[in-house]
């Protein structure tokens, strides 16, 4: 990873815990079974990249560009995605653990969160219009001033979202999830 530009490369079983990797560009790269936990990946660019079965927990992504980046079977605990570059920011997550991640003020419409643990995730001021939360555990997730119009929560669970503070016109919920929308009223739904 010493080169400044990496195109169409596969990085497998790379361990860079507590390391600094800055000012690199990765285009159409695949990262498999890598451990970048507690590393500083500030000011890098990832375009059309895929992370598979990687540990990225507590990785510093300050100023990093994530342009069409997917995470599958990854640990992305506590990452401050709000510190990423906003230009063309696009991510998707599948069967990953995003607990304690922060997405404050990110514009990420149509984002797919598929079969993820998203406990204590922060979505304050986030745009998530038409996003999909398929079979996601949102226990303790914070939604405040979050744009949720058209978002799909039909199979999500353990969420508490206040409709008064989160625009959610045409958002989709299951009847089992109604208590998560009415929690503040202390209403029992049977």
């Amino acid at each position: 990873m010493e080169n400044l530009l990496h195109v169409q490369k596969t990085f497998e079983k790379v361990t860079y815990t507590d390391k600094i990797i800055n000012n690199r560009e990765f285009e159409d790269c695949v990262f498999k079974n890598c451990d970048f936990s507690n590393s500083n990946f500030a000011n890098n660019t990832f375009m059309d990249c895929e992370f598979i079965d990687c540990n990225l927990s507590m990785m510093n992504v300050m100023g990093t560009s994530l342009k069409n980046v997917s995470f599958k079977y990854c640990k992305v605990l506590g990452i401050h995605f709000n510190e990423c570059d906003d230009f063309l920011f696009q991510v998707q997550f599948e069967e990953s653990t995003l607990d304690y991640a922060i997405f404050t003020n990110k514009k990420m419409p149509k984002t797919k969160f598929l079969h993820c643990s998203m406990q204590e995730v922060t979505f304050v001021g986030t745009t998530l219009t038409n996003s999909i939360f398929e079979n996601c555990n949102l226990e303790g997730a914070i939604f405040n001033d979050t744009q949720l119009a058209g978002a799909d929560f039909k199979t999500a669970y353990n969420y508490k979202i206040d409709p008064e503070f989160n625009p959610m016109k045409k958002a989709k919920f299951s009847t089992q999830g109604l208590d998560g929308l009415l929690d503040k009223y202390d209403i029992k739904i049977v």
Side-chain angles (χ1 to χ4, degrees):
M1 276 199 245
E2 300 306 318
N3 294 339
L4 295 178
L5 176 63
H6 302 276
V7 179
Q8 295 183 333
K9 290 184 181 176
T10 297
F11 299 91
E12 196 159 357
K13 295 183 180 178
V14 175
T15 300
Y16 270 65
T17 56
D18 299 309
K19 303 271 192 214
I20 298 173
I21 304 292
N22 299 138
N23 303 308
R24 305 286 195 276
E25 290 186 36
F26 300 90
E27 192 172 319
D28 198 23
C29 291
V30 176
F31 300 85
K32 291 182 181 177
N33 299 309
C34 296
D35 187 353
F36 300 133
S37 57
N38 297 305
S39 293
N40 183 337
F41 269 70
N43 301 309
N44 288 308
T45 298
F46 295 91
M47 182 184 296
D48 300 322
C49 291
E50 188 174 15
F51 289 87
I52 303 168
D53 201 24
C54 294
N55 184 359
L56 311 172
S57 299
M58 300 305 294
M59 189 167 82
N60 178 356
V61 291
M62 173 77 77
T64 294
S65 294
L66 298 177
K67 303 171 181 178
N68 191 31
V69 176
S70 68
F71 301 87
K72 295 179 182 174
Y73 314 107
C74 290
K75 288 182 185 176
V76 286
L77 297 165
I79 293 183
H80 291 229
F81 289 100
N82 58 312
E83 296 178 346
C84 288
D85 185 24
D86 289 331
F87 186 67
L88 297 176
F89 181 83
Q90 184 182 4
V91 291
Q92 66 179 15
F93 303 91
E94 184 176 341
E95 296 198 34
S96 294
T97 304
L98 285 85
D99 300 347
Y100 309 104
I102 299 174
F103 292 95
T104 300
N105 296 320
K106 294 310 283 184
K107 289 179 179 30
M108 40 196 306
K110 299 181 181 177
T111 300
K112 292 180 182 176
F113 300 95
L114 309 174
H115 307 276
C116 293
S117 176
M118 302 175 69
Q119 297 181 57
E120 307 286 333
V121 171
T122 302
F123 292 112
V124 175
T126 310
T127 301
L128 290 165
T129 52
N130 299 307
S131 290
I132 297 171
F133 295 85
E134 182 177 301
N135 197 32
C136 292
N137 182 0
L138 291 161
E139 186 171 347
I142 299 169
F143 292 89
N144 191 10
D145 193 28
T146 306
Q147 303 296 318
L148 297 171
D152 187 342
F153 288 90
K154 291 185 302 213
T155 58
Y157 54 97
N158 293 332
Y159 54 82
K160 289 185 172 131
I161 304 171
D162 189 339
E164 291 182 35
F165 297 105
N166 298 284
M168 55 178 62
K169 187 174 185 176
K170 297 191 179 184
K172 300 167 195 79
F173 298 90
S174 69
T175 53
Q176 292 90 341
L178 288 179
D179 56 336
L181 297 173
L182 303 171
D183 183 66
K184 78 176 196 175
Y185 299 111
D186 198 25
I187 297 172
K188 301 294 179 207
I189 300 170
V190 287

